[in-house]
Amino acid sequence: MARQQERARRTRAAIIRSAAVEFGKSGYAAASLNRILEGSHATKGAMYFHFDSKEDLARAVLESAVERYRATSERWLARTDLGPVDVLHGMVDEVALRLENDIVIQAEFRLVIEPEFYRDAKAAGGRIVDRATRLLAVRAIEQKQLRADADPDRFARTLSAALAGQRYIVDVQGGPMDLRTRFQEALEVIVEAMATPEWADEFRRYGWRAAARLEELDV
């Protein structure tokens, strides 16, 4: 029984991964169930055992992406060895790293901008990062890294829009992505506009104290 359950779990995961590749490459409407099956090495019966339709499969990809965003935010929020602004940098850096290398996150980015999934954008992984960003902004104000008059909601909204804009620009321009540099630049501009002089002085001396590492991610 345990072996059958593990086999079913692996089959489901393989189908979701193959679907993520197909949705990320072709979009939702043009995605081919046959190509998804070929990529997963699963049978049609196995696919329909786990998923009722292509839409059901796409939503499974979205849910998988949300889980990854949640793991990212929780891992960084749990760091107690860093100040909140450095934690934020690490989290943003990991999001960029995932967008460059994680096929599930790449597929989610493609799916939520399609008409069939506009409503899902409200519960997408980016919302989890937005909430974590606001929490870190509150912590940064309390620890005098951001000015006392800084607005956490404004901070989170502005950073979210800046990161999304950088991601879209990379798509439009084409070529190899360097999201980590672009995300870091956006973060620095926004943080420096609201930072205390003390934090700014320390940053000029030491720079960022944390960054994400690809080998630590499940991609």
Side-chain angles (χ1 to χ4, degrees):
M1 187 68 169
R3 287 183 180 178
Q4 290 178 338
Q5 291 176 339
E6 176 61 18
R7 189 180 305 115
R9 186 196 66 79
R10 290 183 179 178
T11 298
R12 186 178 190 277
I15 295 171
I16 290 175
R17 185 173 182 83
S18 181
V21 172
E22 178 66 9
F23 290 135
K25 183 187 303 181
S26 305
Y28 177 72
S32 164
L33 289 178
N34 286 333
R35 286 196 295 266
I36 291 172
L37 285 174
E38 289 172 6
S40 66
H41 303 291
T43 65
K44 185 175 289 188
M47 186 182 72
Y48 282 110
F49 173 79
H50 291 285
F51 306 102
D52 294 333
S53 62
K54 185 165 76 169
E55 180 179 346
D56 189 33
L57 183 50
R59 294 194 186 284
V61 172
L62 292 174
E63 289 170 6
S64 181
V66 167
E67 290 171 5
R68 295 182 185 211
Y69 274 112
R70 184 175 292 113
T72 291
S73 62
E74 289 177 353
R75 178 167 52 254
W76 285 99
L77 287 173
R79 293 285 295 266
T80 58
D81 58 322
L82 298 167
V85 175
D86 279 297
V87 170
L88 178 59
H89 174 262
M91 183 178 70
V92 167
D93 189 46
E94 182 168 322
V95 170
L97 200 56
R98 285 191 177 279
L99 281 165
E100 289 180 340
N101 298 278
D102 189 332
I103 59 171
V104 172
I105 298 299
Q106 292 168 355
E108 189 241 25
F109 177 82
R110 179 72 182 266
L111 285 170
V112 296
I113 62 175
E114 300 217 14
E116 294 87 350
F117 301 98
Y118 280 164
R119 280 191 244 174
D120 294 86
K122 295 181 179 180
R127 298 296 184 181
I128 294 172
V129 174
D130 291 347
R131 289 194 291 272
T133 298
R134 186 190 183 282
L135 176 58
L136 289 168
V138 170
R139 291 181 184 177
I141 293 169
E142 292 171 349
Q143 296 183 30
K144 298 181 171 53
Q145 293 190 323
L146 296 182
R147 297 194 314 270
D149 63 346
D151 182 339
D153 293 307
R154 183 185 180 198
F155 180 92
R157 284 196 307 269
T158 305
L159 181 59
S160 176
L163 299 183
Q166 292 288 4
R167 180 64 182 84
Y168 284 116
I169 287 172
V170 166
D171 268 0
V172 170
Q173 292 180 342
M177 289 192 294
D178 186 13
L179 279 180
R180 299 181 79 182
T181 297
R182 287 177 175 269
F183 276 24
Q184 180 170 299
E185 289 174 349
L187 177 63
E188 287 175 358
V189 168
I190 294 168
V191 169
E192 289 172 1
M194 299 187 182
T196 60
E198 294 78 12
W199 182 87
D201 288 343
E202 185 173 348
F203 179 71
R204 280 191 287 270
R205 288 198 301 271
Y206 302 109
W208 297 111
R209 298 175 182 271
R213 295 195 298 177
L214 182 61
E215 60 268 24
E216 294 179 349
L217 307 183
D218 177 19
V219 298

